Amino acid sequence: MFVYCVPLAVVAVQATAQTPVPEPMKIPVDASYAQPLPIERGAPGLAETLRKLHTRASLIQINAHPDDEDGGMLAYESRGVGADVSLLALNRGEGGQNVMTGDFWDQLGILRTMEHQAANRYYGSHLFYTRVADFGFSKTLEEALKQWNHDRVLEDVVRVVRTVRPMVVTSVFAGYVSDGHGHHQTAGVMAQEVFNAAADPKMFPDQIKEGLLPWKPLKVYARVPFAQVTPKGIFDYATNKWEPVAFKNYVTGEPIQGVPSTTVIVPESEYNALYGRNYLQVAREGLNEQKSQTGGVAIPPPGKFDSPYHLYASRVTATLPAHEESLFDGIDTSLPGIAGYLPAGAQTAVRTKLEAIAATVDEATQKYNANDPSASAPALAKGLSLTRGLIAELKASKLPDEARYNALHELQIKEGQFNFALGQALGASLLASVQTSLPGQGQGRSGPMGGGDNVFSTASGSPTAIPGQAVLVGVHVAAQGTQPLQVDSVELSPNTGGDWKLTEQKGIAGSVAAGTAQDAYISATVPANAPYTAPYFERPNLEQSYYNLTSPQYVTLPVMSYPLTAVATYTYNGVKGELRSVVQTAHRYNGLGVVMEPLLVAPAISVRVTPPAGVMPLKAGNVSLDVTVHSDVKGPAQGTLELKLPNGWTAPATQTFATKRDGEDTNLHFVITPKNVEAKTYEISAVAKYAGKEYASGFQTIGYPGITPYPQYRDAKFRTTGVDVTVAPNLKVAYIMGTGEEVPQSLKDIGINVTQLSSDDIAKADLSGYDCIILGIRTYAARPELRTYNQRLLDYVKNGGVVVSEYQSPEYERDFAPYVIPVTREAEKVVEEDAKVSILKPNDPLFTWPNHIVPGDFDNWVEERGHGFPGAFDPKYVALTEVHDQGQDPQQGGLIYAQYGKGYYVYLAYAFFRQMPEGVPGSFRIMANLISARKNPGLAH
């Protein structure tokens, strides 16, 4: 929610600078969107903010991944109760699936972060993350903690809790096998352990030195587990085994008898008449923004829905109550309650002032008029003035540090809420966007929004600015209500530091009349050393299960600050109000129309090599490498690109590139001659030169229409490994892309240029000319036409073709393969990437030609062995391998095949879509055998 908008650069300074008297860190609010949600504007939005002003209640929910959250609870507590709500995810979901784009690993983590931010708007909460990465499906708590390191996770959880200082800590998870898997269990454990850890100054003392003081949450809850208890115990879906009913209270260390009981019910289906829907429905609109995992979710129809929570610990009562009416039972959540932080002798005077502030909230609420929200404005202005006065008084006081710190923390939240409510009451709004020209100086309707003589007619569709470039920003200030808006100033505030040159081109002259708007124009020149808008976190390889921080000041935030924020200051009844918004750019998407997206700072030239890793046959004569050069220069650009090669390798010294406009790519093809290729890893780097500077990295924009895009940077390097691999000659291979992957690009390394089959090809094309058709991951989920025309694939196999199906999801029905391959929601996963693989039939023709497959071909795999291992598949299939995690039943469905008619059908649960783009040698050797099957002399045809 747009409660208040503090530049994150301010937070960064406060997080790293030690001051003699600690100041509370202001909680960052996501202001990256051009406008608040409709439910946060006007009369509905003002009613909600008034509820927030009435209470100082606060809570945090701690979960493992994006989309784990109990969004209905968050929306109810934030928007219905008025609490200040935060959401902490331990990781960004890097190891998940993706049905929307071809992004995996850390790119997927960025995508899911952006989806999570979009969802979080609906929940009305602040969003945070720890430094750990999703390393893939984790079956046990012990495995997750071994990978992540217990204290690394707890340190960041403590940091967030000390920052937002919630009265109540919650989690969806209880810390036991009922949670689903190890990541979830870790979140449940951390939510309980932080109850005492955040309060202990001996825990992570460096945070105290930074200015974060200890904090004692008053309660900790977790949602009651869904587990069904049977005489066998609780079924663990991660391991597919029964476990005893053995829950634990991680605050006290004591066991819990049975399943944790329900202490309190959160009524998520409570109806909000101003929204026209209930809080669960609002939250599901948010969850529907997280499409990468499922493609989207349904908004539930109206109906009763409650969420039960169990109380694990409390500082409010000596004994835990069996039943409560709300999460805040027994806590003084009133504004005057802020005085309780202070020494007894100071409480009376401060409480009197807090009561005066609370009285202004009561007055604003009494005068609330949905048809004229400005009726509440005088009281809100008075409350804002009184709050600022009390903040100044406390800052100048000699009160004990912790007492002063806690009181200021809550008062600053109220200051932001008063400021936001005043803008809502007045109908004041601000939109800032990059312009192509001043009004009247361009060619009319030059921007994506077109029309009019204002910022909308000349809005720029270029998403980036480069160092040294001057951008023109138009700031549109509107007084939509019944009151004029006395604008004092319109400015740009750089968020990432540097010497920005800001020059006003056209200001706003005084008062903006009611029902009108005015535009200001400011030129901003990007500093030569401005940081690029990029993730502030990175890791050297996928095996490291946590991120290193390139900009530590942003730790726990979703992303670094966007470069520019527009700020308009106005005066109402003698009180200063403020409007803020991140500077946007305008883009037109088919089906969505015009979408505003934040301005990014990017390099003039980006260089990318995709995929970043691969293999090279030992007998290779030449190696091909494609390099993409992307220009963000606002006009023509010309330069050179050269490769840095291993000793003795040769290639054309340099190639020139030329682009005509901003946003244009050019692809350069290099033919490299290696020397004495061995079975080891080599590295090739690409470096571009433009305007006297070198560029050796580039960014990929992560996202899809409807989700704010974000760049992900990578060095322009290609890691290739010499491999003894052979493919049958003159193969013609087709590929049906599923949810997206880089296997087709990887196959080029062994001389296979696949033909991507379109929907029309699947329906009508002659398939008989292909030696093999590969089905990408989750094709039956992503390509509905494949279900319609599946029989054509089976006929192709029956007539002598070969189908290799990568892993599928439950949409893969039992009769899509020639014989039954059951891939259910309970299909097994083998997540230990080093789990021993036994070759069951070492002399099988598929494992002996053209490459002899050995156990070493399963060495050095990354993240996991695979997903979607079928159970009781038809006995007509031949199982070539067996693998299992520790404690798991042996899995033989990782690589199975069957003859069908004159051809062969192969199913792969092994994660080749992860291994091949990472250049894992054995994955290429095995795939070479599979796609060569039609020409395999040892197989019957």
Side-chain angles (χ1 to χ4, degrees):
M1 180 180 179
F2 286 61
V3 176
Y4 59 90
C5 306
V6 180
L8 300 190
V10 173
V11 176
V13 171
Q14 291 173 334
T16 57
Q18 183 181 0
T19 56
V21 181
E23 291 285 344
M25 286 170 45
K26 294 182 179 179
I27 304 172
V29 172
D30 180 15
S32 62
Y33 294 89
Q35 294 290 327
L37 292 173
I39 59 175
E40 295 173 341
R41 305 178 208 162
L46 177 58
E48 178 182 305
T49 311
L50 288 171
R51 282 193 295 276
K52 287 184 169 293
L53 282 167
H54 271 288
T55 180
R56 63 188 187 95
S58 58
L59 69 81
I60 189 171
Q61 188 179 108
I62 300 171
N63 300 317
H65 317 90
D67 79 14
D68 284 344
E69 58 269 5
D70 184 351
M73 184 272 259
L74 295 172
Y76 170 77
E77 297 296 343
S78 175
R79 301 189 182 281
V81 174
D84 189 68
V85 172
S86 298
L87 173 60
L88 169 62
L90 299 188
N91 65 65
R92 299 167 188 265
E94 297 88 344
Q97 306 305 308
N98 187 355
V99 303
M100 296 300 294
T101 71
D103 299 310
F104 289 98
W105 309 108
D106 296 355
Q107 291 93 338
L108 177 58
I110 293 169
L111 176 62
R112 296 189 70 182
T113 298
M114 304 315 290
E115 290 181 327
H116 208 195
Q117 286 196 113
N120 200 60
R121 300 178 73 200
Y122 291 84
Y123 309 148
S125 54
H126 316 292
L127 184 59
F128 300 90
Y129 297 90
T130 78
R131 286 168 290 174
V132 300
D134 181 347
F135 56 84
F137 190 81
S138 173
K139 294 186 177 181
T140 67
L141 172 65
E142 292 73 22
E143 181 195 10
L145 292 177
K146 178 181 177 182
Q147 286 276 356
W148 281 338
N149 183 295
H150 173 279
D151 283 2
R152 178 181 292 117
V153 183
L154 184 60
E155 178 180 4
D156 285 352
V157 175
V158 166
R159 175 181 291 279
V160 173
V161 168
R162 286 174 174 171
T163 298
V164 301
R165 311 182 85 72
M167 295 175 174
V168 171
V169 176
T170 69
S171 179
V172 167
F173 305 112
Y176 192 51
V177 297
S178 58
D179 294 336
H181 59 78
H183 293 181
H184 293 167
Q185 292 180 56
T186 302
V189 170
M190 292 296 151
Q192 294 185 47
E193 288 190 355
V194 77
F195 183 76
N196 286 325
D200 185 353
K202 295 179 181 178
M203 294 292 288
F204 314 113
D206 286 348
Q207 296 179 7
I208 310 299
K209 294 177 183 177
E210 293 172 12
L212 271 178
L213 295 189
W215 174 249
K216 294 181 180 179
L218 298 178
K219 296 183 182 182
V220 57
Y221 297 84
R223 192 167 65 183
V224 173
F226 295 123
Q228 293 185 354
V229 177
T230 74
K232 295 182 180 180
I234 294 176
F235 189 71
D236 183 352
Y237 287 95
T239 62
N240 286 336
K241 295 184 181 297
W242 292 93
E243 298 291 345
V245 183
F247 289 90
K248 178 181 177 181
N249 187 317
Y250 286 92
V251 179
T252 65
E254 298 174 353
I256 296 174
Q257 300 301 317
V259 177
S261 59
T262 298
T263 308
V264 63
I265 292 288
V266 179
E268 299 183 6
S269 58
E270 184 174 295
Y271 180 66
N272 186 310
L274 290 173
Y275 300 165
R277 48 198 183 278
N278 63 46
Y279 295 105
L280 178 62
Q281 291 173 312
V282 172
R284 287 293 171 84
E285 289 185 61
L287 184 60
N288 191 47
E289 298 284 348
Q290 302 188 67
K291 292 182 172 64
S292 61
Q293 300 307 288
T294 63
V297 301
I299 309 302
K304 188 171 180 59
F305 186 91
D306 294 330
S307 192
Y309 279 76
H310 175 79
L311 178 63
Y312 285 83
S314 173
R315 291 186 169 95
V316 178
T317 58
T319 58
L320 300 183
H323 174 73
E324 293 179 316
E325 294 299 321
S326 81
L327 297 174
F328 300 101
D329 269 15
I331 302 174
D332 180 0
T333 60
S334 69
L335 265 63
I338 295 173
Y341 291 122
L342 308 181
Q347 287 188 18
T348 300
V350 172
R351 184 177 295 274
T352 299
K353 295 179 179 180
L354 288 166
E355 289 170 347
I357 294 171
T360 67
V361 180
D362 292 337
E363 181 183 353
T365 304
Q366 291 164 3
K367 292 185 176 180
Y368 172 80
N369 182 341
N371 292 315
D372 182 15
S374 66
S376 298
L380 291 169
K382 181 179 179 181
L384 178 56
S385 178
L386 291 176
T387 302
R388 286 173 174 163
L390 184 53
I391 288 173
E393 182 180 321
L394 290 179
K395 284 185 175 181
S397 71
K398 303 298 183 182
L399 291 167
D401 285 352
E402 190 167 350
R404 174 179 170 278
Y405 189 102
N406 289 331
L408 282 173
H409 170 80
E410 294 191 7
L411 280 170
Q412 286 172 346
I413 292 173
K414 293 302 136 189
E415 179 187 14
Q417 291 171 350
F418 269 119
N419 179 74
F420 189 62
L422 182 59
Q424 289 172 310
L426 295 172
S429 69
L430 180 152
L431 173 66
S433 61
V434 176
Q435 305 292 298
T436 58
S437 64
L438 286 167
Q441 295 183 9
Q443 299 178 359
R445 304 173 61 86
S446 58
M449 306 173 88
D453 188 24
N454 54 39
V455 296
F456 298 100
S457 65
T458 53
S460 171
S462 175
T464 63
I466 64 175
Q469 178 190 342
V471 294
L472 180 66
V473 177
V475 185
H476 187 72
V477 179
Q480 302 172 90
T482 61
Q483 303 281 332
L485 198 66
Q486 181 63 44
V487 178
D488 303 318
S489 64
V490 177
E491 299 175 341
L492 294 180
S493 174
N495 295 325
T496 55
D499 184 20
W500 288 73
K501 303 298 184 185
L502 306 174
T503 306
E504 183 180 280
Q505 302 293 321
K506 177 181 178 296
I508 290 180
S511 180
V512 178
T516 70
Q518 291 192 38
D519 299 329
Y521 293 86
I522 303 170
S523 174
T525 300
V526 184
N529 62 347
Y532 302 145
T533 308
Y536 66 87
F537 47 88
E538 64 181 19
R539 51 180 174 162
N541 53 61
L542 298 178
E543 298 309 301
Q544 181 172 303
S545 58
Y546 61 92
Y547 288 111
N548 302 322
L549 303 183
T550 55
S551 299
Q553 65 267 35
Y554 300 115
V555 62
T556 74
L557 299 182
V559 294
M560 70 176 285
S561 305
Y562 289 101
L564 283 176
T565 294
V567 184
T569 303
Y570 64 91
T571 300
Y572 176 80
N573 279 10
V575 178
K576 298 287 186 183
E578 195 174 79
L579 304 171
R580 283 180 170 265
S581 181
V582 165
V583 172
Q584 307 283 319
T585 58
H587 307 269
R588 181 175 292 279
Y589 294 105
N590 287 340
L592 292 177
V594 175
V595 177
M596 305 301 288
E597 296 169 351
L599 173 69
L600 312 174
V601 171
I605 299 295
S606 292
V607 187
R608 288 186 64 83
V609 179
T610 302
V615 300
M616 177 174 45
L618 294 180
K619 301 175 183 178
N622 292 317
V623 177
S624 294
L625 185 69
D626 293 311
V627 181
T628 300
V629 177
H630 172 87
S631 173
D632 278 298
V633 178
K634 306 306 183 270
Q638 185 170 343
T640 61
L641 188 134
E642 63 177 346
L643 299 181
K644 295 184 178 180
L645 301 171
N647 289 335
W649 293 29
T650 59
T654 62
Q655 289 195 39
T656 60
F657 66 86
T659 57
K660 295 180 179 179
R661 61 188 62 84
D662 172 30
E664 184 175 325
D665 286 356
T666 184
N667 296 310
L668 302 179
H669 180 74
F670 289 85
V671 177
I672 303 167
T673 302
K675 180 181 180 181
N676 300 328
V677 177
E678 302 176 14
K680 66 179 185 179
T681 299
Y682 301 87
E683 185 176 272
I684 301 170
S685 300
V687 180
K689 294 182 179 179
Y690 166 74
K693 293 185 178 181
E694 292 190 349
Y695 300 88
S697 65
F699 69 87
Q700 171 188 354
T701 300
I702 308 296
Y704 52 83
I707 290 296
T708 302
Y710 202 79
Q712 195 261 349
Y713 283 79
R714 188 169 66 204
D715 289 341
K717 294 180 178 180
F718 180 68
R719 187 181 74 253
T720 184
T721 302
V723 177
D724 184 8
V725 58
T726 302
V727 296
N730 303 316
L731 284 181
K732 189 175 181 182
V733 178
Y735 199 94
I736 301 177
M737 181 63 74
T739 54
E741 57 177 315
E742 294 180 336
V743 169
Q745 296 97 307
S746 295
L747 285 169
K748 291 181 180 179
D749 292 353
I750 54 175
I752 303 299
N753 292 292
V754 304
T755 299
Q756 297 268 7
L757 296 185
S758 67
S759 298
D760 283 346
D761 292 334
I762 294 169
K764 303 173 184 177
D766 180 7
L767 304 178
S768 63
Y770 296 108
D771 294 297
C772 178
I773 298 175
I774 301 175
L775 306 183
I777 60 172
R778 300 177 74 166
T779 42
Y780 288 88
R783 303 288 293 272
E785 70 273 17
L786 191 57
R787 303 165 119 192
T788 303
Y789 297 106
N790 187 76
Q791 187 58 44
R792 298 193 76 237
L793 277 182
L794 297 183
D795 291 343
Y796 158 78
V797 175
K798 195 172 186 178
N799 292 323
V802 175
V803 165
V804 176
S805 173
E806 295 188 73
Y807 104 88
Q808 301 297 328
S809 48
E811 293 83 1
Y812 185 65
E813 296 177 6
R814 297 171 66 88
D815 59 353
F816 283 154
Y819 312 111
V820 172
I821 301 178
V823 181
T824 67
R825 295 190 182 279
E826 290 73 42
E828 294 276 2
K829 307 173 182 68
V830 180
V831 300
E832 296 168 9
E833 67 272 18
D834 57 354
K836 180 182 178 181
V837 177
S838 299
I839 296 179
L840 301 177
K841 297 183 180 297
N843 296 319
D844 188 276
L846 267 188
F847 266 18
T848 56
W849 190 90
N851 304 287
H852 191 82
I853 304 304
V854 297
D857 287 311
F858 292 92
D859 289 347
N860 301 313
W861 282 39
V862 296
E863 190 181 310
E864 63 181 353
R865 286 300 187 191
H867 271 63
F869 283 77
F873 48 84
D874 192 288
K876 293 184 180 67
Y877 289 99
V878 177
L880 296 180
T881 65
E882 182 178 280
V883 66
H884 61 88
D885 288 331
Q886 292 186 22
Q888 184 183 31
D889 294 333
Q891 302 299 310
Q892 295 189 358
L895 199 172
I896 59 177
Y897 79 99
Q899 184 172 8
Y900 181 63
K902 298 179 182 179
Y904 290 88
Y905 192 98
V906 182
Y907 178 82
L908 279 176
Y910 288 112
F912 279 70
F913 73 101
R914 297 197 189 277
Q915 311 310 317
M916 293 181 72
E918 284 298 309
V920 176
S923 64
F924 285 83
R925 286 169 43 81
I926 297 168
M927 183 63 78
N929 281 21
L930 301 182
I931 63 178
S932 300
R934 191 171 189 175
K935 298 185 178 184
N936 189 322
L939 292 171
H941 296 285

